[in-house]
């Protein structure tokens, strides 16, 4: 068992932060002694490790609480996900460092670069996201969606982005009415039609898409800016709609 001070010494997390995590239900000690001291066991250490991994990937605390409180939360699966995300980040950073080094040599006249090479590494994130989407929905669907999006032009693209943000904001306002309410389901139907501007958006695919918003930190952070419970609420509302 570890006291707050011992856990702080091991992890570098301050005692104040540990007490705050306890107050919001993110990391509660396994035992509180008669003297009021908090005591943490190995399972608590592993949970704190998960919290710090998610924080390293810029996931907000409210989102971490929601993710880790899911009934099906699997620590091993989460670790595999962290490994993939960190490996992807490492690959991106290595590509960027290589481009920086080559650009320095280029500016010193020691290494010639073609214009396209100036952006090596900067394209990797987009390419990786596209590959992930192709694995989920098929290469043809993703490529058709990309062509559709590119054909809109800057003005239309911004209008669609604004429309999507407005829908999500309205869903957040309607959340107290419940996921199955007529108001929320009407908004989900609007969202479904809105998504058709980006890809075919078959009804059967919608729950998986909503789950990505909840579980993928890259998407979740944007939803949490609107409301910390919006992403999981979308999963519930979209599942009802799709059924």
């Amino acid at each position: 068992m570890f006291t707050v001070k011992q856990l702080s010494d091991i992890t570098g997390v301050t005692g104040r932060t540990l007490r705050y995590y306890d107050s919001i239900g993110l990391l509660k000690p396994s035992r509180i002694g008669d003297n009021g001291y908090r005591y943490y066991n190995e399972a608590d250490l592993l949970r704190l490790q998960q919290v710090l991994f998610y924080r390293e990937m810029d996931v907000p605390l409210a989102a971490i609480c929601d993710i880790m409180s899911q009934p099906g939360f699997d620590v091993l699966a989460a670790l595999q996900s962290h490994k993939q995300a960190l490996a992807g980040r490492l690959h991106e950073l290595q590509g960027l460092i290589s481009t920086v080094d080559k650009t320095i040599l280029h500016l010193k006249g020691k290494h010639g670069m073609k214009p396209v090479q100036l952006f090596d590494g900067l394209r990797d994130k987009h390419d990786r996201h596209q590959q992930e989407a192709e694995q989920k929905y098929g290469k043809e669907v993703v490529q058709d969606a990309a062509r559709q999006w590119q054909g809109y032009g800057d003005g239309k693209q911004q209008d669609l982005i604004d429309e999507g943000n407005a829908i999500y904001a309205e869903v957040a306002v309607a959340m107290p009415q419940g996921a199955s309410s007529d108001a929320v389901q009407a908004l989900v139907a609007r969202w479904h039609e809105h998504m058709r501007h980006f890809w075919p958006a078959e009804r059967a695919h919608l729950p998986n898409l909503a789950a990505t918003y909840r579980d993928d930190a890259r998407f979740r952070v944007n939803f949490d800016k609107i409301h910390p419970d919006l992403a999981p609420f979308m999963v519930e509302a979209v599942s009802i709609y799709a059924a």
Side-chain angles (χ1 to χ4, degrees), residues 80-213:
Q80 289 292 338
S81 177
H82 297 328
K83 181 179 178 180
Q84 293 175 359
L86 292 170
R89 181 183 294 182
L90 176 61
H91 176 73
E92 291 171 2
L93 291 175
Q94 287 173 333
L96 291 172
I97 290 170
S98 176
T99 299
V100 168
D101 287 340
K102 290 177 182 178
T103 304
I104 290 172
L105 294 175
H106 173 69
L107 293 175
K108 290 181 176 180
K110 298 179 180 180
H111 176 79
M113 294 181 74
K114 297 178 181 178
V116 69
Q117 292 176 314
L118 292 170
F119 301 94
D120 286 347
L122 297 168
R123 298 187 303 269
D124 288 350
K125 181 178 291 188
H126 173 269
D127 293 343
R128 183 162 57 84
H129 289 178
Q130 181 167 331
Q131 289 172 3
E132 291 174 0
E134 289 176 356
Q135 290 174 356
K136 284 185 178 181
Y137 306 113
K139 186 173 183 178
E140 185 176 349
V141 170
V142 174
Q143 291 182 344
D144 286 346
R147 284 192 291 269
Q148 181 179 1
W149 176 251
Q150 292 167 2
Y152 287 139
D154 293 343
K156 177 66 172 178
Q157 288 177 356
Q158 188 58 53
D159 288 343
L160 289 171
I161 292 171
D162 293 341
E163 179 185 355
N165 289 334
I167 292 173
Y168 295 131
E170 289 184 47
V171 172
V173 171
M175 282 171 54
Q177 300 183 49
S180 62
S181 67
D182 291 342
V184 169
Q185 288 301 303
L187 288 168
V188 174
R190 274 181 57 196
W191 170 77
H192 184 191
E193 288 303 312
H194 172 72
M195 294 307 298
R196 292 185 187 279
H197 290 98
F198 306 96
W199 62 304
E202 296 296 337
R203 187 178 287 250
H205 292 158
L206 297 179
N208 285 336
L209 177 61
T212 300
Y213 294 161

